[in-house]
Amino acid sequence: MFIVASLLTSFLLSLLFTPIAKNIALRFMILDVSNTNLKTHKINTPYLGGLSIFVSVLIASTFIIFLYKIMIPFVVYGLLTSCFIIIALGFTDDIYKLRPLTKISFQIIAASLAWTAGIRITLTGLEQLDIILTITWIVSLSNAFNLIDIMDGLASGVAAISSFFLSLICLELGDIMNGLLLLSIAGACFGFLKFNFNPAQIFMGDTGSLFLGFLIACSTTQMFQYKEYSLEVLPVIILGIPIFETIFISLLRIKSGIPPWKGTKDHFALRLVKLGFSVKSTVILTYLFCVFLGSISLIFFYSRSPILYCFFLITVILTLIGWILSKVDITDTQHS
């Protein structure tokens, strides 16, 4: 009942707030304008979808906390403050287009605040190294979701599916609060998909993609402390798509002599379109692979099999996919 209530509440709230966000964006002309060679959409589309996701997650989580009388740990207040920083950063970037160094700097500040509040990866036992690992995980995943937000419904769908599988593992491990947050993310993103799936009526913008990546990263830090059966690799497997995209794009850009943070059309989704897949089929194919990653993770988790075997299998599969896609010529790749 807890799972259904969390998913349904955030889902309905997202259905309510997204049209409101769309109307506000249209009224104040907060649009993603198709005016550069990096833009792959042809119609100016409203932003602010990220704000509707954030508000839905916040209200849904608060409602479920009071409904089920869940104890609120101090760490949640620090997390909320960090999320406000990320939301402000993403919103500002959507309007004014900040420089990469500025964005990274504020993400590091938010991640450092989260660490101070108690959101920590304690993988090595060495505090200095664990601080670096925590900040790297949070900042990298925030930008990873930002990278895959290049096609209608892609980032929101991947966030919804991966968050759902991650929430099941959190709840099974007794991590109720993070399980609740991930369920709220899943429900809000599923609701947002009604308006974001191709052809999209509204985009989440950096406000949404950075927020989703940041909150998912923070909500999964506790998983790294479970070393039995190598459970610490579970979030890496389930979040394999945004992580793969980050590594894939970075390697291709470095190979081409381009800084990893410089925008290009090297994205795996655009390469699939170039191979002949439609936008919808590309996004659905990505969803199915995301479900595959989540399902195989659950199978290994509940069977208590060494998860490292699963990790190595997925790594081989993604490496092969990356090698094949790297051969695709992405010149003049477009999608509507």
Side-chain angles (χ1 to χ4, degrees):
M1 189 62 186
F2 174 84
I3 294 176
V4 174
S6 301
L7 282 172
L8 186 59
T9 302
S10 56
F11 174 78
L12 293 175
L13 287 171
S14 185
L15 289 179
L16 172 65
F17 289 124
T18 301
I20 296 174
K22 175 186 173 182
N23 291 333
I24 293 174
L26 288 173
R27 179 177 180 181
F28 293 97
M29 298 300 292
I30 305 175
L31 308 173
D32 187 0
V33 180
S34 180
N35 61 356
T36 73
N37 62 350
L38 290 178
K39 300 292 186 179
T40 54
H41 59 284
K42 298 178 181 178
I43 302 174
N44 297 343
T45 307
Y47 269 144
L48 296 188
L51 284 181
S52 70
I53 294 175
F54 169 67
V55 172
S56 299
V57 171
L58 180 62
I59 296 178
S61 300
T62 303
F63 172 73
I64 297 299
I65 285 172
F66 284 102
L67 179 65
Y68 287 91
K69 299 179 181 179
I70 300 173
M71 181 76 68
I72 306 176
F74 172 78
V75 66
V76 172
Y77 299 104
L79 175 60
L80 184 60
T81 304
S82 300
C83 286
F84 274 118
I85 294 175
I86 293 298
I87 288 293
L89 172 66
F91 184 75
T92 304
D93 185 52
D94 284 335
I95 297 177
Y96 298 108
K97 303 303 174 188
L98 302 174
R99 294 182 177 181
L101 181 60
T102 302
K103 294 170 63 176
I104 290 292
S105 298
F106 277 98
Q107 289 173 44
I108 291 175
I109 291 173
S112 300
L113 179 59
W115 164 272
T116 303
I119 298 171
R120 303 175 178 182
I121 293 176
T122 54
L123 195 59
T124 68
L126 301 174
E127 184 173 350
Q128 291 80 4
L129 186 54
D130 283 338
I131 291 174
I132 295 173
L133 285 174
T134 303
I135 293 176
T136 300
W137 171 252
I138 295 174
V139 173
S140 297
L141 204 58
S142 299
N143 288 288
F145 273 94
N146 185 239
L147 282 175
I148 65 171
D149 188 27
I150 49 90
M151 191 170 285
D152 297 350
L154 186 61
S156 52
V158 170
I161 296 169
S162 58
S163 294
F164 177 74
F165 281 104
L166 288 166
S167 70
L168 296 180
I169 294 175
C170 279
L171 294 175
E172 187 67 25
L173 294 172
D175 191 354
I176 303 300
M177 182 56 66
N178 284 321
L180 166 60
L181 291 174
L182 289 165
L183 284 172
S184 297
I185 291 173
C189 287
F190 279 128
F192 181 68
L193 269 176
K194 173 176 171 53
F195 309 94
N196 187 234
F197 195 73
N198 183 265
Q201 303 174 40
I202 185 171
F203 292 157
M204 67 169 69
D206 283 8
T207 307
S209 59
L210 290 178
F211 164 69
L212 288 174
F214 185 88
L215 186 55
I216 291 172
C218 289
S219 299
T220 53
T221 53
Q222 286 297 309
M223 288 188 185
F224 289 95
Q225 71 176 333
Y226 298 100
K227 299 180 181 180
E228 187 179 9
Y229 304 108
S230 304
L231 293 180
E232 65 269 23
V233 301
L234 277 175
V236 179
I237 296 172
I238 295 175
L239 294 165
I241 289 176
I243 292 174
F244 165 78
E245 173 79 321
T246 302
I247 297 173
F248 179 68
I249 283 183
S250 297
L251 290 176
L252 288 178
R253 290 176 180 174
I254 291 173
K255 182 181 179 181
S256 302
I258 301 172
W261 56 85
K262 184 176 177 62
T264 63
K265 291 184 177 181
D266 284 323
H267 304 272
F268 79 86
L270 298 182
R271 290 173 181 270
L272 286 173
V273 170
K274 192 67 176 180
L275 282 174
F277 292 93
S278 67
V279 172
K280 288 183 179 179
S281 60
T282 296
V283 172
I284 292 173
L285 185 64
T286 305
Y287 291 170
L288 292 175
F289 194 79
C290 193
V291 171
F292 165 73
L293 293 177
S295 299
I296 195 171
S297 297
L298 286 183
I299 291 172
F300 274 78
F301 174 71
Y302 283 110
S303 66
R304 291 295 185 253
S305 303
I307 310 291
L308 278 180
Y309 294 140
C310 177
F311 177 76
F312 289 137
L313 172 64
I314 297 302
T315 300
V316 171
I317 293 174
L318 289 176
T319 300
L320 179 59
I321 293 174
W323 179 78
I324 294 173
L325 290 179
S326 68
K327 304 300 181 181
V328 178
D329 180 10
I330 45 119
T331 306
D332 296 328
T333 300
Q334 291 287 331
H335 86 269
S336 61

